[in-house]
Amino acid sequence: MPLAMNREVFITCAVTGSGGTQDRSPHVPRSPVQIAESAIAAAKAGAAVVHCHVRDPETGKPARDPALYREVTERIRDSATDVVLNLTAGMGGDLLFDGTENMNRMSARSDMAGAAERVAHVVECRPEICTLDCGTMNFAEADYVMVNTPGMLRDMAARMVASGVRIEIEAFDTGHLWFARQLAEEGIIPDPVLVQLCMGVPWGAPDDLNTFMAMVNNVPKHWHWSAFALGRHQMPYVAASVLAGGNVRVGLEDNLWLDKGVLATNAQLVERAVTVISNMGARVLTPAEVRAKLKLEKRAPVAK
């Protein structure tokens, strides 16, 4: 397939994530105040979209507390900086086991929740976008499965759409795109469809360019897509995504480093992405332009 470079690119900054990075860099935000401030700084640097998880403010461990999401949302909405808000809905499907001889019961470390609970913060906070991890996979650790069954995904997606939030499909492998197309064909995910290609996440799609183009070629032509890769491949994938016709994602969720031995901030990663995109001859879109392109509505959280 001939490449068709994207000349109008939006940047998503994945601000903090849910990985165990909180003690590996002082720049990984933990509290709602820190997460909101880092998101706002990323927006000032050129990110049109900020993708936010929340963490326990004391330990830095991933959390699902709707009150933490609400505080992050309100702080971003109340700031003078405009940005499209994208909240994760990936938590609550973490199935862990205590070794290979105890497979008949899940570990107490598991975090499994029903569809209503998994999207409760989305319904309450009303971001423009929320994520839907579109498949089950072995995920990084030896005894950890990221669980997203077809029934759960249909239920969560229906609740997201009913709340007026645009779904961003998170595709970690080609099969996830296959099921996402099925959801779109069933009318569960309405147009315009938005998808994030997640490259190099063990044990999903590896981040080599052949696999990347296989993922790109499985995205329907009329869908909007972005892509990212982990660690040192984050910034090369900015160029690869733009060249292949997509948008880009950077941020501390996926990569802690600006250069070898130099820990990054979210704003610095966005600034670097802006430079790459601009030097390729493309233009970075504003939040208002992204809302128009994706038919998004900026709303305040549900009143208490």
Side-chain angles (χ1 to χ4, degrees), residues 144-217:
Y144 170 32
V145 180
M146 180 179 73
V147 179
N148 296 288
T149 65
M152 175 64 80
L153 290 170
R154 286 187 170 91
D155 193 343
M156 290 176 63
R159 294 171 188 271
M160 293 168 176
V161 172
S163 71
V165 178
R166 178 72 60 200
I167 291 171
E168 180 184 75
I169 296 159
E170 305 296 287
F172 295 82
D173 218 333
T174 51
H176 298 180
L177 289 168
W178 185 4
F179 186 67
R181 292 199 304 273
Q182 179 65 29
L183 293 179
E185 289 170 5
E186 292 174 9
I188 294 173
I189 298 180
D191 288 332
V193 180
L194 174 64
V195 62
Q196 183 75 246
L197 304 180
C198 310
M199 307 300 299
V201 178
W203 300 105
D207 59 7
D208 64 88
L209 289 177
N210 284 335
T211 304
F212 175 53
M213 288 311 300
M215 295 281 277
V216 170
N217 290 337

Side-chain angles (χ1 to χ4, degrees), residues 33-76:
V33 172
Q34 292 170 339
I35 293 167
E37 288 179 347
S38 192
I40 292 164
K44 290 179 178 178
V49 183
V50 288
H51 171 60
C52 297
H53 293 242
V54 294
R55 294 175 178 265
D56 182 299
E58 298 300 322
T59 66
K61 292 182 178 179
R64 289 194 290 109
D65 185 349
L68 297 176
Y69 278 106
R70 188 178 187 99
E71 184 177 349
V72 169
T73 298
E74 289 177 341
R75 288 182 178 277
I76 292 173

Side-chain angles (χ1 to χ4, degrees), residues 107-130:
S107 170
R109 298 172 295 141
S110 297
D111 178 30
M112 298 293 291
E117 184 177 349
R118 287 183 67 172
V119 302
H121 63 289
V122 172
V123 174
E124 178 181 340
C125 293
R126 305 202 303 178
E128 289 100 328
I129 301 171
C130 70

Side-chain angles (χ1 to χ4, degrees), residues 6-303:
N6 185 11
R7 298 284 177 176
E8 296 190 332
V9 179
F10 66 81
I11 299 171
T12 296
C13 180
V15 177
T16 190
S18 61
T21 57
Q22 65 271 18
D23 297 320
R24 293 171 53 198
S25 170
H27 304 306
V28 175
R30 299 186 180 203
S31 70
V33 172
Q34 292 170 339
I35 293 167
E37 288 179 347
S38 192
I40 292 164
K44 290 179 178 178
V49 183
V50 288
H51 171 60
C52 297
H53 293 242
V54 294
R55 294 175 178 265
D56 182 299
E58 298 300 322
T59 66
K61 292 182 178 179
R64 289 194 290 109
D65 185 349
L68 297 176
Y69 278 106
R70 188 178 187 99
E71 184 177 349
V72 169
T73 298
E74 289 177 341
R75 288 182 178 277
I76 292 173
R77 292 297 195 219
D78 291 344
S79 75
T81 301
D82 186 31
V83 69
V84 174
L85 181 59
N86 175 337
L87 295 183
T88 185
M91 305 290 290
D94 301 329
L95 178 61
L96 291 95
F97 297 94
D98 292 320
T100 56
E101 297 301 322
N102 295 294
M103 302 301 288
N104 62 329
R105 63 182 183 274
M106 67 182 183
S107 170
R109 298 172 295 141
S110 297
D111 178 30
M112 298 293 291
E117 184 177 349
R118 287 183 67 172
V119 302
H121 63 289
V122 172
V123 174
E124 178 181 340
C125 293
R126 305 202 303 178
E128 289 100 328
I129 301 171
C130 70
T131 60
L132 185 70
D133 295 338
C134 222
T136 294
M137 63 179 279
N138 295 327
F139 202 97
E141 299 176 22
D143 299 311
Y144 170 32
V145 180
M146 180 179 73
V147 179
N148 296 288
T149 65
M152 175 64 80
L153 290 170
R154 286 187 170 91
D155 193 343
M156 290 176 63
R159 294 171 188 271
M160 293 168 176
V161 172
S163 71
V165 178
R166 178 72 60 200
I167 291 171
E168 180 184 75
I169 296 159
E170 305 296 287
F172 295 82
D173 218 333
T174 51
H176 298 180
L177 289 168
W178 185 4
F179 186 67
R181 292 199 304 273
Q182 179 65 29
L183 293 179
E185 289 170 5
E186 292 174 9
I188 294 173
I189 298 180
D191 288 332
V193 180
L194 174 64
V195 62
Q196 183 75 246
L197 304 180
C198 310
M199 307 300 299
V201 178
W203 300 105
D207 59 7
D208 64 88
L209 289 177
N210 284 335
T211 304
F212 175 53
M213 288 311 300
M215 295 281 277
V216 170
N217 290 337
N218 274 280
V219 177
K221 302 301 181 188
H222 62 287
W223 288 13
H224 301 275
W225 65 271
S226 297
F228 71 88
L230 302 184
R232 62 190 178 89
H233 290 158
Q234 182 175 83
M235 216 52 66
Y237 258 76
V238 171
S241 299
V242 173
L243 187 61
N247 302 285
V248 307
R249 170 171 138 172
V250 295
L252 295 178
E253 176 171 352
D254 310 317
N255 166 50
L256 298 178
W257 302 95
L258 185 66
D259 293 302
K260 187 175 182 179
V262 181
L263 289 168
T265 67
N266 279 308
Q268 288 173 328
L269 292 172
V270 173
E271 289 169 354
R272 180 71 59 86
V274 169
T275 298
V276 172
I277 293 164
S278 299
N279 284 348
M280 292 179 72
R283 185 174 70 87
V284 176
L285 296 180
T286 67
E289 290 173 320
V290 172
R291 288 194 188 94
K293 179 184 286 284
L294 300 179
K295 299 181 181 178
L296 307 175
E297 182 182 357
K298 184 178 182 179
R299 301 175 296 167
V302 174

